[in-house]
Amino acid sequence: MFFRPARPDQLNRQGPDTGRNYRSAIFPANDEQPKVAKAYIGRLNHVAVFGAAIVTKIETGKTVYAADNYHQDFLTNNRLIPIL
């Protein structure tokens, strides 16, 4: 699961950027992935990894399109400083 650098405990926000476009969401590709994501989020919440409840939504039944090429492998191609 990918929960960094975005903060999954901040609703509609990634660092200084706010709005629904900056929400934390998981778009499962099959029927098993939502179950795994829900269980993982539950474990993270149980041990309070982020200090607040995870607000990441599991968005089933959504069509996901490939991003433009300049967005591909963004974290690999751009060194990011974690926002704490």
Side-chain angles (χ1 to χ4, degrees):
M1 297 284 167
F2 178 76
F3 284 117
R4 293 283 188 189
R7 292 281 310 268
D9 61 333
Q10 296 179 340
L11 185 61
N12 297 333
R13 180 181 186 116
Q14 291 182 22
D17 300 317
T18 60
R20 184 157 159 65
N21 290 342
Y22 299 100
R23 71 191 186 281
S24 175
I26 296 171
F27 299 93
N30 59 48
D31 292 337
E32 184 65 20
Q33 289 179 352
K35 298 172 194 169
V36 172
K38 186 176 180 180
Y40 187 59
I41 289 169
R43 286 194 298 271
L44 292 174
N45 279 334
H46 180 73
V47 296
V49 169
F50 294 97
I54 292 173
V55 296
T56 299
K57 302 292 182 198
I58 301 170
E59 303 276 352
T60 58
K62 305 283 183 178
T63 301
V64 177
Y65 300 94
D68 293 325
N69 284 337
Y70 68 93
H71 286 296
Q72 300 300 325
D73 300 312
F74 185 83
L75 291 177
T76 301
N77 297 325
N78 296 274
R79 184 169 184 245
L80 297 178
I81 299 171
I83 299 170
L84 303 175

